[in-house]
């Protein structure tokens, strides 16, 4: 009884925030549409959103584009999965080796200051042409995010919870599974989300600038051949994919948080 | 060991120094014997080493020197079976409901599910959390969370219960009532209780014996037997002896507390 | 003291390991992939003696400087504004996070179409990358100021200016500094990507040009310069960042 009274106004505010967000998005799209139709923006440079959506739908029914989508998505999926696993394992290991961690810390802190795809030529020389070097770029872009999140999560496990585990005389494995992992879960989730985003960014950027296949390349190619319909259609698809996959992970995450009575 | 007045836990020359660049001598040397089935309280100025004493006694951290025995067995590095601890900080698991928090320990030792349900329900009721059994700690107040932690430990029926300022987050009235509940529990289970508190009246009201600690490094500067009957409750505060005990505790503590504050300023 | 000496030793060891791996990669992949450490360093130093390299460097640094300045000013202003209006902040935050996680590189053609092929496109692209973290960090800092601090300021009867000067700024500054550090890295990333994709000038152009003309010596040396600059600047900012966070 009490709870409904407490959460009612909070819910309606949260709902208002969400509706406002959608409203603003819709408004921006409509404004852009109007600006294009009324000629405020050069028709050559920017397509009206309605045409972009139509172009995207049309493109997604062509075999060629579907092949590109499959190629890019599988590359991202592999890079993402591998990076989450590696990042987690490395994070756990590094957490247990404080001296090594102190030594590596400056490198980790500066990692994202270096544009990773400067290593593309090296990766091609090592791994050959094709999907492998792109996968490697996505992987390299995503591993440290997961690693850092794992370290942070383990750091933030309240020491008193470890002592509770010892009071219950839990072994190493039970302590890890029943206490440490659940306590670190919010940070781990953050790492997984970032890893997905960075793997996607890495792969698309690699394709865009350097490779000769996949969605990123198709966009760059369309730009070079002044094919704005294809370019905008694919662009919308890529952006939507990123936003939707991120949104799915976020909603999963907030379900988890709600389960802990947060939010 | 069957002797009712036998020592339940004994500390011999126990000290604890936190190692590091500037080692902190936090505790001791301490010589102490806690009688089986007694209610023992520890008061002392902030930062004097009370929590450290509890850690060492529970086997959560090793003493730098000295020996500890619990039920005749040496304590070293692991928490002995039969010891339950309630920590000073909130230690509820935020990912478990109140019920699952309280059931945590029983599930680990493989108690029969029906028995778990029965004991958990009882412990939750005992702590006044029945309406919140399905809630998560984030939905509770600080004092309620602390009660979850107390229930989680008590449900295991420890023979030695170590409580580190368990009522710190509670208001004075609830504190008195919780004290009564604790006394009742203590009488019913024949457990030995070591209670760390900063409230002198609480120590005076609940305990058979109160130990007063000095400023860091903490040593016992006074041990006071209250002489209360075993069958007592918070109404004792109107007993003329109560004021005398509180007064004596304060006179022992006053200079030490000033030292602790002066050292910080 | 001991900790410090240990740290230096460990740092030296890490550098040594990197050099060994580098040399090992060279031995494995050969001169088509990269040049060995010593040769790279010599070539990189040589680059600084050529006027054309200075031209490229200046082009990149100018674009980078402008984009960082714009990101900082706009980012902090927007972050403060969104932070002050709770509702606006709550509406905007997930949108900004989404912007942060999309592959912005795909937007570059639009930027080119809008800004043309000159340096302004590079700058705009740097701003798109660098501004978002500045906004997010600033917004977070304002949102998490403990309300009791502001109530304390009121209780002490501080004027709005005094409140800003003695309470608000010190409370949010460390977080804003962290945001600027991340923004710094991302501005550089944005500018370099811009140069790699469509430009005739700048460090990014040099790299992509080296890749396309199989000039491995040039690519490796410029890559090394970029990495050293990024890591060096970032470490300096990180030290500043940590000091601010500690002095809180
Ligand atoms: N892990 C640690 N490392 C170094 N020093 C510590 C550590 N834990 C506690 N200390 C120091 O040991 C001393 C005693 O700490 P302890 O927590 O036992 O005090 P306390 O009596 O429980 O204080 P309070 O009443 O505030 O809870 C303090 O001076 C504290 O600074
Ligand atoms: Mg304590």
């Amino acid at each position: 009884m009490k709870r409904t009274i407490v959460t009612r106004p909070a819910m309606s505010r949260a709902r208002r925030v969400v509706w406002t967000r959608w409203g603003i998005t819709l408004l921006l799209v409509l404004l852009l549409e109007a600006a294009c139709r009324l000629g405020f923006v050069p028709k050559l440079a920017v397509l009206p959103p309605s045409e972009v959506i139509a172009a995207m739908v049309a493109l997604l029914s062509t075999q060629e584009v579907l092949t590109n989508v499959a190629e890019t998505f599988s590359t991202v999926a592999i890079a993402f999965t591998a990076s989450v696993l590696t990042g987690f394992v490395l994070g756990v290991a590094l957490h247990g080796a404080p001296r090594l961690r102190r030594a590596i810390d400056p490198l980790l802190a500066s990692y994202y200051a270096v544009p990773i795809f400067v290593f593309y030529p090296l990766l091609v020389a090592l791994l050959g042409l094709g999907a492998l070097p792109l996968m490697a770029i996505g992987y390299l872009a995503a591993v440290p995010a997961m690693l850092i999140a794992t370290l942070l999560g383990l750091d933030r496990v309240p020491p008193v919870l470890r002592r509770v585990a010892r009071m219950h005389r839990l072994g190493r494995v039970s302590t890890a599974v029943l206490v440490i992992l659940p306590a670190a879960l919010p940070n781990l989730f953050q790492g997984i989300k970032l890893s997905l985003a960075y793997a996607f960014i890495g792969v698309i950027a690699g394709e865009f600038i350097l490779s000769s296949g996949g969605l990123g390349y198709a966009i760059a190619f369309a730009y070079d051949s002044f094919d704005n319909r294809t370019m905008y259609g694919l662009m919308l698809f890529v952006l939507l994919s990123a936003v939707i996959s991120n949104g799915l992970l976020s909603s999963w995450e907030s379900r988890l948080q709600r389960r802990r009575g947060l939010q | 060991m069957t002797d009712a007045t036998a020592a339940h836990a004994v500390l011999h020359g126990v000290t604890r120094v936190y190692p590091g660049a500037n080692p902190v001598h936090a505790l001791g040397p301490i010589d102490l014997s806690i009688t089986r089935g007694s209610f023992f309280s520890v008061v002392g100025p902030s930062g004097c080493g009370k929590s450290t004493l509890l850690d060492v006694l529970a086997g959560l951290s090793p003493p730098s020197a000295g020996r500890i025995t619990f039920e005749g067995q040496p304590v070293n590095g692991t928490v002995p079976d039969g010891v339950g601890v309630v920590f000073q900080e909130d230690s509820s698991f935020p990912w478990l409901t109140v019920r699952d928090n309280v059931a945590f320990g029983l599930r680990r030792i493989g108690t029969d599910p029906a028995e778990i349900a029965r004991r958990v329900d009882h412990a939750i009721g005992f702590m006044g959390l029945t309406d919140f059994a399905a809630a998560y700690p984030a939905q509770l107040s600080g004092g309620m969370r602390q009660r979850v932690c107390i229930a989680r430990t008590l449900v295991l029926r420890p023979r030695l219960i170590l409580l580190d300022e368990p009522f710190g987050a509670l208001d004075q009235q609830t504190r008195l009532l919780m004290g009564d509940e604790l006394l009742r529990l203590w009488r019913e289970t024949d457990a030995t209780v070591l209670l760390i508190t900063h409230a002198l009246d609480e120590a005076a009201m609940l305990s058979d014996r109160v130990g007063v600690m000095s400023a860091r490094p903490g040593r016992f500067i006074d041990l006071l037997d209250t002489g209360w009957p075993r069958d007592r409750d918070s109404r004792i505060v109107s007993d003329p002896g109560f004021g005398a005990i509180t007064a004596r505790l304060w006179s022992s503590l006053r200079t030490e507390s000033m030292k602790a504050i002066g050292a910080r300023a | 003291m001991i900790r410090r000496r240990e740290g230096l030793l460990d740092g030296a060891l890490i550098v040594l390991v990197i050099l060994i791996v580098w040399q090992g990669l060279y031995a494995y992949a050969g001169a088509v992939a990269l040049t060995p450490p010593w040769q790279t360093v010599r070539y990189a130093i040589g680059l600084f003696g050529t006027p054309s390299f200075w031209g490229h460097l200046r082009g990149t640094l100018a674009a980078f400087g402008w984009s960082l300045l714009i990101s900082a000013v706009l980012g902090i202003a927007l972050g403060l504004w969104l932070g002050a209006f709770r509702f606006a902040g709550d509406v905007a935050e997930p949108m900004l996070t989404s912007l942060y996680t999309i592959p912005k590189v795909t937007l570059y053609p639009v930027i080119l179409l809008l800004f043309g092929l000159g340096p302004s496109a590079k700058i705009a692209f740097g701003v798109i990358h660098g501004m978002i973290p500045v906004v997010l960090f600033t917004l977070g800092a304002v949102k998490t100021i403990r309300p009791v601090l502001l109530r304390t300021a009121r209780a002490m009867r501080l004027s709005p200016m005094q409140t800003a000067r003695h309470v608000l700024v010190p409370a949010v500054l460390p977080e804003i500094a962290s945001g600027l550090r991340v923004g710094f890295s991302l501005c550089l990333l944005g500018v370099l990507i811009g140069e790699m994709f469509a430009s005739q000038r700048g460090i990014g152009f040099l790299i992509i040009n080296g890749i396309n003309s199989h000039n491995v010596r040039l690519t490796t040396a410029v890559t090394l310069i970029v990495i050293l600059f990024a890591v060096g600047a970032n470490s300096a900012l990180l030290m500043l960042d940590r000091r601010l966070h500690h002095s809180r």
Side-chain angles (χ1 to χ4, degrees):
Chain A
M1 276 293 103
K2 228 181 278 168
R3 220 179 289 154
T4 46
I5 295 169
V6 173
T7 48
R8 255 275 172 68
M11 267 306 284
S12 86
R13 181 178 189 276
R15 204 166 279 160
R16 242 178 32 222
V17 166
V18 172
W19 282 113
T20 314
R21 197 177 298 141
W22 283 110
I24 289 178
T25 313
L26 192 68
L27 193 71
L28 288 177
V29 172
L30 288 178
L31 275 179
L32 186 61
E33 182 83 31
C36 292
R37 298 273 175 214
L38 299 174
F40 291 128
V41 201
K43 173 94 181 163
L44 267 180
V46 181
L47 283 188
S50 56
E51 285 183 34
V52 175
I53 294 171
M56 180 181 82
V57 173
L59 281 166
L60 284 179
S61 48
T62 65
Q63 191 53 48
E64 190 196 337
V65 170
L66 287 181
T67 317
N68 278 334
V69 170
E71 187 181 329
T72 300
F73 278 17
S74 57
T75 311
V76 172
I78 296 172
F80 164 63
T81 314
S83 66
V84 165
L85 293 177
T86 325
F88 177 71
V89 170
L90 286 182
V92 171
L94 212 52
H95 188 79
R99 182 164 172 190
L100 183 62
R101 178 178 175 185
R102 266 200 306 278
I104 289 190
D105 205 38
L107 290 184
L108 275 183
S110 297
Y111 191 90
Y112 285 109
V114 178
I116 300 144
F117 37 86
V118 294
F119 294 116
Y120 188 71
L122 176 64
L123 293 171
V124 169
L126 289 174
L127 304 170
L129 281 165
L132 266 187
L134 286 172
M135 218 177 269
I137 286 190
Y139 174 77
L140 289 177
V143 166
M146 187 65 198
L147 199 170
I148 293 169
T150 307
L151 281 175
L152 204 65
L154 293 178
D155 284 347
R156 289 194 178 163
V157 176
V160 71
L161 295 190
R162 291 176 194 271
R163 302 205 293 165
V164 171
R166 289 182 54 200
M167 186 201 94
H168 285 101
R169 301 164 2 116
L170 301 186
R172 284 172 69 97
V173 177
S174 329
T175 305
V177 174
L178 295 171
V179 178
I180 310 286
L181 269 187
L185 202 59
N187 284 94
L188 295 181
F189 223 105
Q190 206 60 32
I192 292 173
K193 266 169 65 181
L194 275 183
S195 288
L196 178 61
Y198 288 172
F200 202 54
I201 290 177
V203 170
I204 293 279
E207 288 175 347
F208 188 80
I209 302 176
L210 305 151
S211 113
S212 52
L215 280 173
Y217 172 72
I219 295 175
F221 185 81
Y223 169 75
D224 283 336
S225 45
F226 303 102
D227 180 0
N228 273 2
R229 293 191 76 78
T230 307
M231 185 183 88
Y232 277 111
L234 291 178
M235 205 180 279
L236 180 65
F237 177 69
V238 167
L239 299 185
L240 282 182
S241 310
V243 170
I244 289 174
S245 59
N246 191 60
L248 285 178
L249 278 183
S250 295
S251 72
W252 187 18
E253 183 187 23
S254 60
R255 209 162 45 224
L256 194 106
Q257 299 233 316
R258 257 200 304 280
R259 262 205 37 207
R260 294 181 175 198
L262 298 167
Q263 274 186 354
Chain B
M1 285 300 105
T2 45
D3 181 0
T5 60
H8 202 186
V10 182
L11 294 88
H12 274 300
V14 168
T15 65
R16 169 83 179 144
V17 179
Y18 287 102
N22 327 304
V24 180
H25 184 182
L27 185 69
I30 298 249
D31 286 285
L32 182 70
S33 165
I34 302 173
T35 310
R36 181 184 287 269
S38 69
F39 197 121
F40 183 73
S41 291
V42 176
V43 293
S46 178
C48 75
K50 300 184 293 295
S51 298
T52 307
L53 170 69
L54 177 137
D55 261 28
V56 174
L57 178 55
L60 285 162
S61 60
S64 308
R67 270 180 305 117
I68 302 152
T69 57
F70 169 67
E71 298 182 344
Q73 301 297 313
V75 176
N76 42 18
T78 53
V79 183
D81 184 31
V83 173
V85 186
V86 177
F87 296 98
Q88 187 172 10
E89 309 95 313
D90 170 23
S91 65
S92 56
F93 295 128
W95 56 90
L96 296 180
T97 59
V98 168
R99 178 184 300 286
D100 289 338
N101 259 292
V102 176
F104 184 85
L106 290 175
R107 291 197 178 132
R108 300 289 83 72
I109 55 178
T111 312
D112 164 59
E115 169 77 358
I116 293 183
R118 203 181 56 72
R119 274 163 73 174
V120 167
D121 280 342
H122 180 254
I124 288 177
F126 187 81
M127 284 294 143
L129 293 165
T130 307
D131 290 347
F132 296 89
Y136 284 87
Q139 298 161 326
L140 306 181
S141 73
M144 291 160 85
R145 260 178 255 167
Q146 194 61 353
R147 266 142 60 194
V148 173
C149 298
I150 297 174
R152 187 179 60 189
T153 297
L154 293 188
V155 79
L156 295 169
R157 299 192 182 147
R159 298 188 294 282
L160 173 62
I161 309 174
L162 308 175
L163 302 137
D164 196 348
E165 302 200 3
F167 309 139
L170 303 182
D171 57 278
Q172 182 70 20
Q173 307 83 280
T174 315
R175 196 181 247 280
L176 286 174
L177 295 180
M178 292 298 290
D180 281 342
E181 292 302 319
L182 187 59
L183 278 176
R184 196 169 57 114
L185 182 98
W186 165 69
R187 268 196 305 274
E188 283 171 7
T189 60
D190 289 327
T192 309
V193 173
L194 181 139
L195 172 76
I196 292 172
T197 174
H198 57 243
L200 298 185
D201 54 346
E202 194 170 280
M205 159 187 137
L206 296 173
S207 324
D208 294 319
R209 182 176 237 206
V210 184
V212 180
M213 279 174 88
S214 67
R216 188 178 64 82
R219 284 150 291 118
F220 282 104
I221 50 172
D222 195 6
L223 283 173
L224 173 76
D225 287 303
T226 57
W228 298 130
R230 191 170 170 82
D231 197 4
R232 57 179 176 258
D233 62 33
S234 55
R235 277 169 294 185
I236 240 172
V237 295
S238 53
D239 188 291
F242 178 80
I245 294 171
T246 320
R248 167 143 166 221
L249 288 178
W250 176 232
S251 70
S252 307
L253 256 178
R254 209 178 107 93
T255 44
E256 292 303 322
S257 301
M258 277 162 60
K259 266 190 230 164
I261 293 172
R264 239 189 290 146
Chain C
M1 230 23 233
I2 295 169
R3 179 57 79 74
R4 178 145 209 176
R5 203 170 313 148
E6 198 180 67
L8 282 179
L9 178 69
D10 290 350
L13 272 176
I14 295 279
V15 173
L16 192 69
V17 169
I18 292 174
L19 289 178
I20 290 174
V21 170
W22 186 350
Q23 188 74 42
L25 279 177
Y26 173 71
Y28 174 73
V32 291
L34 76 173
T35 50
W38 178 234
Q39 205 183 321
T40 310
V41 171
R42 274 217 320 250
Y43 190 79
I45 294 173
L47 274 180
F48 282 96
T50 58
S52 72
F53 177 76
W54 279 103
H56 290 295
L57 189 61
R58 253 199 308 274
T60 300
L61 285 181
F64 170 62
W66 277 113
S67 66
L68 184 59
L69 184 70
I70 296 172
S71 300
V73 173
L74 284 185
I76 293 175
L78 191 59
L80 290 177
W81 183 75
L82 288 176
F85 297 94
R86 224 19 201 285
F87 191 77
D90 285 353
V91 170
E93 201 173 350
M95 300 171 96
L96 289 164
T97 320
S98 301
L99 277 184
Y100 184 72
T101 54
I102 59 173
K104 287 172 281 294
V105 70
T106 52
L107 294 174
Y108 199 50
V110 187
I111 305 272
L112 284 176
L113 289 169
L114 291 175
F115 287 86
L117 277 170
S120 46
K122 287 196 290 193
I123 296 175
F125 203 50
V127 170
I128 289 186
H129 276 82
M131 195 174 99
I132 301 171
V134 181
V135 180
L136 283 174
F137 273 81
T138 310
L139 168 60
V142 177
K143 245 172 60 174
T144 53
I145 291 186
R146 301 213 322 273
V148 66
L149 290 184
L150 298 178
R151 288 216 308 274
T152 310
R154 283 230 307 277
M156 293 175 168
R157 305 165 60 84
L158 300 189
S159 71
M161 271 316 284
Q162 285 171 321
T163 305
R165 160 85 182 74
H166 293 287
V167 180
L168 281 178
V169 171
V172 297
L173 203 59
E175 280 306 296
I176 293 183
S178 303
L180 286 177
R181 186 171 64 81
V182 179
F184 180 97
S185 297
L186 287 179
C187 276
L188 182 63
L189 184 74
V191 169
L192 286 177
I193 294 179
E195 290 176 343
M196 287 173 103
F197 183 66
S199 180
Q200 298 303 317
R201 220 161 88 113
I203 297 294
F205 166 72
L206 275 185
I207 294 178
I208 206 75
N209 199 30
I211 293 176
N212 289 336
S213 59
H214 302 287
N215 187 345
V216 176
R217 279 203 310 181
L218 181 66
T219 323
T220 316
V222 175
T223 304
L224 177 68
I225 292 171
V226 169
I227 292 177
L228 287 182
F229 174 71
V231 171
N234 189 70
S235 307
L237 290 172
L238 196 65
M239 253 161 63
L240 190 73
D241 196 340
R242 293 215 169 121
R243 186 155 311 160
L244 279 173
H245 273 275
H246 275 306
S247 69
R248 189 138 57 158

